Amino acid sequence: MKTPSRRTRTVRAALTTDVEHRAVVPPIYLSSNYAFDGFGGKGRYDYSRSANPTRDQLGDALAALEEGVGAVVTSSGMGAISLVVHQQCKSGDLILAPHDCYGGTVRLFLALERQSAIRVRFVDFSDSAAYAEALTERPRLVWIETPSNPLLSITDLAQAIPAAKAVGATVAVDNTFLTPVWQQPFAYGADIVVHSTTKYLNGHSDVVGGVVISSTAALQEDMAWWANCLGLTGSAFDSYLTLRGLRTLHARLAVHASNAQVLAQALSAHPAVAAVHYPGITSHPQHALAARQQSGFGAMLSFELRGGVPAVEAFLSALACFTLAESLGGVESLVSHPATMTHAALAPDAKLRAGLVDGLLRLSVGIEDPADLLADVVAGLDRAHAAR
Ligand code: PLP
């Protein structure tokens, strides 16, 4: 039989590996430590901060899904990002990052810069001239997040990655928004792929976790060393839940994306809306690039309401199928107000530069019945329109 597809391998990751009882679903190993087989008799596992069988099963599944060499499962997405920075950067090294990346990433890089640990420069990665100019400063690490959060701007991986490597930078891609199902950064030459597994990979909003996947054995070995040294590794229980969520990834994403497309069309047609940011509609300025580089358009979108905060309040006031909450990528639909929630840590001028206006709302489109989601959004838009 030919090698099973990525989808089949994801459903079947680590199934029937239990030799003792032949359990179909692998058991969870919660133990923090493992007995030596007599003096000097260390087995494969000794202490769960360093390595744990359940965490390894998740790491192997995620590395296989991204087609990387190995993975380090961390206790959060921010833990994964911290691990990459610690492993890659020495004092004074420059990190080049997109001006509109996740607010927590911005906060971490700026805080480390204040401590003189690193230097950071934020530029608009969709502006190729600005990006090329920034590369002349020879960054140690180029951080890519595409599509960006929350404006869904796309970085051209086929251009950006080779250009960064040509100046000697390591390239890390935060692939949280698309997952390897829709975008494979290693195919474009990325060195490292990072995820907040809190989002689509787990998919059920009941775990906070992360992962760093490496393209070479040497990088993987060093990442694992640093993760153990810093104590960043994820728990066995969270790993168990994430592996369970991962099995349904392909099925969930298909519904997420078709629901998002329905909502993006409806938002585009409504007079209460000034702009819709979703790569799956032809009005998105980088629609063609997204169609080329991604095998799906994702299920995150943002839109700007005319009328600022009063319109936002009216929209949010009576939603039935969208929960006002941070985070994304769970089966349930969420709405958030980036300027006051996910990106609240940004300074006012940084918010403006990143286009985070008061009327901007972000949707994480879930897998509910699209007719219910549509009715909810249209009723909200009608309220926002009346409140202007
Ligand atoms: N990367 C992206 C794109 C995110 O959206 C987030 C969180 O929202 C993170 C990283 C951080 O992940 P975590 O919240 O799991 O630490």
Side-chain angles (χ1 to χ4, degrees):
M1 191 192 156
K2 72 176 180 58
T3 312
S5 69
R6 183 188 259 121
R7 173 169 151 188
T8 301
R9 283 185 278 124
T10 304
V11 173
R12 302 197 59 86
L15 292 184
T16 63
T17 50
D18 171 43
V19 284
E20 188 162 5
H21 299 298
R22 301 174 56 80
V24 173
V25 172
I28 178 171
Y29 288 88
L30 289 168
S31 186
S32 53
N33 47 1
Y34 297 82
F36 279 52
D37 189 12
F39 178 72
K42 176 172 145 5
R44 180 164 166 208
Y45 296 99
D46 60 350
Y47 186 51
S48 278
R49 166 158 46 73
S50 325
N52 168 278
T54 306
R55 195 168 65 233
D56 281 356
Q57 285 175 341
L58 174 63
D60 290 348
L62 292 173
L65 195 55
E66 279 288 7
E67 300 191 352
V69 164
V72 174
V73 173
T74 56
S75 55
S76 68
M78 288 314 301
I81 298 169
S82 302
L83 173 58
V84 173
V85 175
H86 274 284
Q87 190 273 337
Q88 281 292 315
C89 297
K90 295 186 304 302
S91 174
D93 279 347
L94 177 68
I95 300 179
L96 183 61
H99 73 317
D100 54 356
C101 67
Y102 169 59
T105 307
V106 175
R107 179 175 55 197
L108 172 68
F109 292 168
L110 287 175
L112 291 173
E113 185 174 59
R114 278 197 301 277
Q115 291 185 323
S116 306
I118 52 139
R119 292 174 297 129
V120 62
R121 184 164 166 200
F122 295 102
V123 299
D124 180 352
F125 277 23
S126 64
D127 177 344
S128 52
Y131 181 72
E133 189 275 314
L135 286 182
T136 62
E137 292 185 39
R138 300 202 159 256
R140 168 92 275 292
L141 178 66
V142 172
W143 191 266
I144 295 177
E145 188 187 314
T146 181
S148 72
N149 179 8
L151 289 186
L152 288 299
S153 134
I154 314 284
T155 298
D156 188 337
L157 296 177
Q159 305 241 316
I161 295 178
K165 296 187 81 165
V167 299
T170 299
V171 180
V173 179
D174 184 334
N175 205 21
T176 298
F177 266 37
L178 290 180
T179 85
V181 174
W182 284 326
Q183 177 168 271
Q184 288 114 34
F186 287 138
Y188 293 90
D191 300 294
I192 297 163
V193 173
V194 164
H195 286 272
S196 165
T197 57
T198 314
K199 320 299 183 196
Y200 292 104
L201 294 178
N202 176 57
H204 294 77
S205 303
D206 51 9
V207 169
V208 172
V211 67
V212 177
I213 303 161
S214 294
S215 59
T216 66
L219 253 182
Q220 166 60 20
E221 198 182 318
D222 213 34
M223 289 291 177
W225 187 90
W226 274 103
N228 179 49
C229 174
L230 293 164
L232 291 175
T233 47
S235 79
F237 192 66
D238 287 352
S239 300
Y240 182 88
L241 285 178
T242 305
L243 186 57
R244 173 182 157 139
L246 192 67
R247 298 188 193 287
T248 55
L249 179 66
H250 287 75
R252 283 186 281 112
L253 289 188
V255 184
H256 276 295
S258 75
N259 283 358
Q261 192 75 38
V262 168
L263 296 189
Q265 304 289 0
L267 286 160
S268 303
H270 200 285
V273 178
V276 180
H277 307 284
Y278 181 63
I281 51 176
T282 49
S283 59
H284 188 286
Q286 296 164 303
H287 173 69
L289 170 59
R292 199 162 67 236
Q293 168 169 297
Q294 306 169 192
S295 51
F297 293 115
M300 295 302 299
L301 62 86
S302 60
F303 61 98
E304 190 187 330
L305 285 173
R306 297 182 205 282
V309 170
V312 164
E313 283 181 325
F315 180 86
L316 296 175
S317 60
L319 291 172
C321 301
F322 287 81
T323 305
L324 179 63
E326 309 249 356
S327 200
L328 60 107
V331 290
E332 75 290 354
S333 289
L334 301 176
V335 59
S336 72
H337 184 242
T340 57
M341 296 170 68
T342 47
H343 292 64
L346 264 63
D349 59 324
K351 267 187 208 156
L352 265 188
R353 252 182 289 126
L356 304 179
V357 293
D358 283 346
L360 190 78
L361 286 169
R362 187 189 78 177
L363 300 183
S364 171
V365 182
I367 64 168
E368 300 92 339
D369 186 331
D372 291 332
L373 296 181
L374 186 62
D376 210 19
V377 163
V378 171
L381 294 177
D382 291 345
R383 285 193 301 276
H385 196 51
R388 287 191 312 139

